[in-house]
Amino acid sequence: MLILHPDHLVSATVVGDSFSCTRRAVLQDRVKATNDASEAQVYGHILHEIFQEALKANRWDDEWLHKRIETIASRYLESFFEINLDPILAVDQLKSKSFALQSWAEIFVSAKPRAEAAIKDRNGALSTISVNKLLEVEEK
């Protein structure tokens, strides 16, 4: 957290997002979405929670991920009904994303950066990175 004023906290994510548009942080804070939920939003929120919990626990196996998916998805039943999505189909869809999470972790979660863990920065330079320790999870 970056404390600009004692009554207004700004997360590191918001600061990072502001580089492309200086008004973005203020607009995101002041203008909240008022439209109905979409399928992409609901899946995105759930996958974010699953990914976050997997990082905290450093667990990427199918059994653990599938259990977390079922637990987390059960908290989104109202959202599933709002977007007319069968909860059982939603859980199956989320479970199908386990492989992508596992693949990402296999490349980027390690004590030292792997050769295949290369990313490009804004200037196009390649760097290898790894997540070797999770210190804290940012919550809003």
Side-chain angles (χ1 to χ4, degrees):
M1 287 282 174
L2 173 68
I3 301 174
L4 296 175
H5 186 277
D7 295 330
H8 189 77
L9 299 176
V10 180
S11 72
T13 302
V14 172
V15 172
D17 286 345
S18 71
F19 292 127
S20 60
C21 176
T22 55
R23 294 176 301 277
R24 185 178 197 171
V26 174
L27 290 171
Q28 283 180 337
D29 185 52
R30 303 256 188 306
V31 181
K32 303 294 182 196
T34 57
N35 59 339
D36 294 335
S38 71
E39 192 171 309
Q41 285 175 315
V42 174
Y43 279 130
H45 284 286
I46 295 170
L47 286 169
H48 181 268
E49 278 190 52
I50 294 162
F51 183 76
Q52 185 171 287
E53 288 195 20
L55 265 178
K56 285 195 291 189
N58 197 20
R59 293 284 306 269
W60 304 96
D61 56 282
D62 279 334
E63 183 181 342
W64 190 89
L65 283 172
H66 290 184
K67 179 112 173 105
R68 296 309 311 146
I69 288 167
E70 291 169 4
T71 301
I72 292 169
S74 71
R75 297 192 300 249
Y76 283 83
L77 290 177
E78 187 176 320
S79 296
F80 293 144
F81 292 128
E82 181 181 346
I83 60 173
N84 296 318
L85 186 61
D86 181 342
I88 294 169
L89 294 176
V91 167
D92 288 343
Q93 176 69 17
L94 290 162
K95 285 180 179 179
S96 75
K97 302 298 182 191
S98 294
F99 180 75
L101 296 173
Q102 292 163 329
S103 297
W104 184 92
E106 187 175 317
I107 294 170
F108 293 105
V109 179
S110 65
K112 296 189 183 209
R114 295 185 172 107
E116 65 270 25
I119 61 166
K120 284 185 181 179
D121 68 13
R122 291 182 191 168
N123 299 320
L126 279 177
S127 297
T128 54
I129 65 164
S130 70
V131 176
N132 60 18
K133 185 177 184 182
L134 183 65
L135 299 176
E136 188 65 42
V137 174
E138 175 187 331
E139 291 294 328
K140 252 187 159 179

